[in-house]
Amino acid sequence: MKRKAESNTSKSVDLDKSHWSAGLLKSMKDPECIVKEDDKIIVIKDKYPKAQFHYLVLPKEDISSIWQVKRNHQDLLMHMHNIARDLVEKQTDHEFIIGYHAMPSMQRLHLHVISTDFNSPCLKTKYHWNSFTTPFFLHSSDVSRQLHEEGEIKKVSPERCKEYLNTQLKCHKCTLQPKNMPALKRHILTHIDKQKQ
Ligand code: AMP
Ligand code: ZN
C-alpha cells in the first residue's frame, strides 16, 4: 500500500519536494494540468483519474494534509467546496462526490472532485475502489460541518483506514458484492448503460 508520505496523525512527516509524493506540487505549476485558479486555490486534473471526471482542488497555502487543517481554515475549506460545486454543476449529466481521503498519499491538502461512474483504466485496485466508496472518503460537507461545529476534524485511526481499504468489494449503486476487480469493473458498466437509457 503506497500510503506513506502523509500520516493522519499530527506527527511531522517527511515533506521532501523531490519525493514522488510531491507530484501535486509540480502539477500545480504546470499549465497543462491547471483547470482553474484564483488567489487562494488551484484546480488540476488528476493525472491518474479514477473516473471519467476527476479533479483535485488544492490551496495555495502550504497545508500538508487534511490533518493539518485548523479552525481558522474554515473559510478556505468552504471556498474549496464551492469551487468544487461550480465544477460539478457544469457536468449536469454526471453525479459527483467531493471529499478527502482519510489517509492521503500525496503532499498538499487536496479535495477530490470525482464522477461516480468510476469508469477509468486507472481504477485498478481494491484500495482505489474502497478509497472512494467507504468511509475512508471523507465527504467535504461533513468535514466542513465538523470543523464549524467542533472546531476540529475527527481523526480516523490508521487501523480504521486499513479496515476501510480492505473492505470486501461492493458495488456503490446496488447490493452486488463482486468477487474481484475485473468483475466489479464489468458490473459498473451496466449501471452506466442504464443511466444512458
Ligand atoms: P490521495 O490518495 O488522496 O493522496 O490521492 C492523490 C491523487 O493524486 C490520486 O488520485 C492520484 O491519481 C493523483 N496524482 C498522483 N500524482 C499526480 C500528479 N503528479 N499530478 C496530478 N495528480 C496526481
Ligand atoms: Zn451495482
Side-chain angles (χ1 to χ4, degrees):
M1 205 190 328
K2 200 169 95 173
R3 293 195 173 269
K4 289 189 189 135
E6 289 291 340
S7 140
N8 65 349
T9 69
S10 54
K11 244 181 348 186
S12 69
V13 287
D14 172 19
L15 297 181
D16 177 355
K17 302 262 187 288
S18 60
H19 192 259
W20 58 262
S21 68
L24 300 184
L25 302 175
K26 277 197 198 136
S27 295
M28 285 173 81
K29 293 185 187 136
D30 179 352
E32 294 277 304
C33 302
I34 297 175
V35 172
K36 191 170 184 165
E37 177 171 5
D38 68 18
D39 57 329
K40 295 190 184 64
I41 59 93
I42 294 185
V43 182
I44 60 172
K45 282 189 188 156
D46 195 292
K47 196 169 175 180
Y48 310 101
K50 308 299 185 295
Q52 189 179 346
F53 300 98
H54 190 178
Y55 308 104
L56 302 171
V57 184
L58 303 106
K60 289 185 174 175
E61 187 180 337
D62 187 6
I63 303 169
S64 60
S65 88
I66 187 71
W67 304 113
Q68 273 67 50
V69 165
K70 302 280 179 294
R71 193 191 278 270
N72 64 337
H73 293 123
Q74 267 184 71
D75 289 349
L76 176 64
L77 255 58
M78 193 49 73
H79 181 60
M80 289 167 65
H81 182 80
N82 289 337
I83 290 284
R85 295 278 338 149
D86 284 351
L87 286 168
V88 165
E89 271 161 24
K90 289 198 185 105
Q91 311 288 350
T92 48
D93 295 345
H94 297 266
E95 280 174 20
F96 281 79
I97 51 172
I98 302 170
Y100 303 90
H101 279 157
M103 196 190 283
S105 56
M106 302 296 283
Q107 294 177 38
R108 183 60 60 92
L109 174 66
H110 50 278
L111 178 61
H112 290 268
V113 185
I114 183 165
S115 56
T116 59
D117 51 87
F118 297 118
N119 185 21
S120 164
C122 296
L123 190 133
K124 292 178 179 156
T125 69
K126 182 176 180 172
Y127 294 149
H128 290 157
W129 180 257
N130 284 335
S131 74
F132 292 102
T133 60
T134 70
F136 186 89
F137 191 80
L138 307 172
H139 289 268
S140 167
S141 45
D142 293 339
V143 166
S144 283
R145 184 162 16 84
Q146 268 180 37
L147 197 58
H148 178 68
E149 288 174 3
E150 288 153 47
E152 60 178 13
I153 304 161
K154 207 166 145 218
K155 290 276 184 313
V156 185
S157 71
E159 293 73 28
R160 193 46 75 83
C161 284
K162 275 181 210 141
E163 265 174 44
Y164 291 143
L165 291 175
N166 282 304
T167 305
Q168 188 187 346
L169 290 175
K170 185 182 175 309
C171 175
H172 63 319
K173 300 248 183 194
C174 74
T175 55
L176 188 91
Q177 297 194 315
K179 63 178 188 306
N180 53 33
M181 280 305 289
L184 173 67
K185 291 191 63 117
R186 279 195 301 276
H187 172 72
I188 57 177
L189 293 179
T190 64
H191 287 294
I192 295 169
D193 288 343
K194 269 184 218 144
Q195 220 172 4
K196 282 186 194 148
Q197 283 163 14

